[in-house]
Amino acid sequence: MAQFRLQGSKVLAVDLAGDAVKAKNGAMVAYDGEMSFKKMTGGGEGLRGMVTRRLTGEQMTVMEVKGRGTCYFADRASEINLVRLQGEKLFVESSNLLCTEAALHTGTTFTGLRGASQGNGLFTTTVEGHGQAALTSDGPAVVLRVTQQYPLHVDPGAYIAHTGRLKQHFQSGVNFRTLIGEGSGEAFQIRFEGEGLVYVQPSERNTVGGEV
């Protein structure tokens, strides 16, 4: 079973004993021992993944790393956040998914207007099963809890991932910066309701409405 550990906050070390992990293509920065690398196609596994890639034109690629030793991964000096899944499903932007244990199943799900508002397309990546995943963020990620009593509003450009029984509602007309006169163009929010966790980074991507 692969062992994930952080070297500082920006490098992921994965100890392998004949097993494998799936990682973002090009994210390997060093390794020791005996390793093999196999390029895989992103966008999910199986027929649905193939159809999704054709619909979206997604060109994300991942690689399978297998062997004995330690492999080190990083992505543009981004902060790395470890998530342990106990059978639940993780929804994550593909650009923020660095590495997963091979036993975890990856796929895609429809996001509709939320994905379009972020400029990331109409589908997002899902990771499901038992094991660890490593996510990247621009700055240290914050994990926010959503409850039935306290829904959460998130800037689409700051959203990374979420888990739990959450419903998403896409809202337009206002965002956090337009309230203080710094926004421009169309403004969007994501409203999360239910029970779960949302991962947010302290930096915003560019969206279809400009930098929000």
Side-chain angles (χ1 to χ4, degrees), residues 1-5 81-90 101 104 127-135 163 197 199:
M1 182 176 180
Q3 299 295 321
F4 285 30
R5 53 190 173 86
N81 312 271
L82 297 183
V83 178
R84 182 172 292 278
L85 298 178
Q86 302 290 346
E88 69 269 35
K89 182 180 290 187
L90 173 73
E101 291 188 41
L104 291 173
V127 182
E128 188 173 11
H130 294 265
Q132 281 193 291
L135 313 182
T163 61
L197 301 174
Y199 294 77

Side-chain angles (χ1 to χ4, degrees), residues 15 26 45 48 64 68 72 80 83 86 99-100 103 109 119 125 128-129 134 138 148 153 159 171 181 205 208 210:
D15 299 316
E45 300 161 353
R48 180 175 178 177
E64 180 187 71
R68 296 182 179 273
Y72 300 88
I80 299 174
V83 178
Q86 302 290 346
C99 186
T100 69
T109 189
T125 299
E128 188 173 11
D138 188 0
Q148 295 288 352
H153 294 80
Y159 168 83
Q171 298 179 341
R205 305 178 190 85
V208 294

Side-chain angles (χ1 to χ4, degrees), residues 15 18 20 110 126:
D15 299 316
F110 182 71
T126 59

Side-chain angles (χ1 to χ4, degrees), residues 53-74:
R53 288 190 296 274
R54 289 198 173 191
L55 287 173
T56 62
E58 183 180 355
Q59 296 299 317
M60 183 189 78
T61 55
V62 297
M63 60 182 178
E64 180 187 71
V65 182
K66 185 175 182 179
R68 296 182 179 273
T70 302
C71 202
Y72 300 88
F73 301 96

Side-chain angles (χ1 to χ4, degrees), residues 6-7 12 26 37 51 86 88 96 99 132 183 185 189 205 210:
L6 294 179
Q7 296 283 327
L12 172 68
F37 303 89
V51 173
Q86 302 290 346
E88 69 269 35
N96 293 104
C99 186
Q132 281 193 291
Q189 287 182 5
R205 305 178 190 85

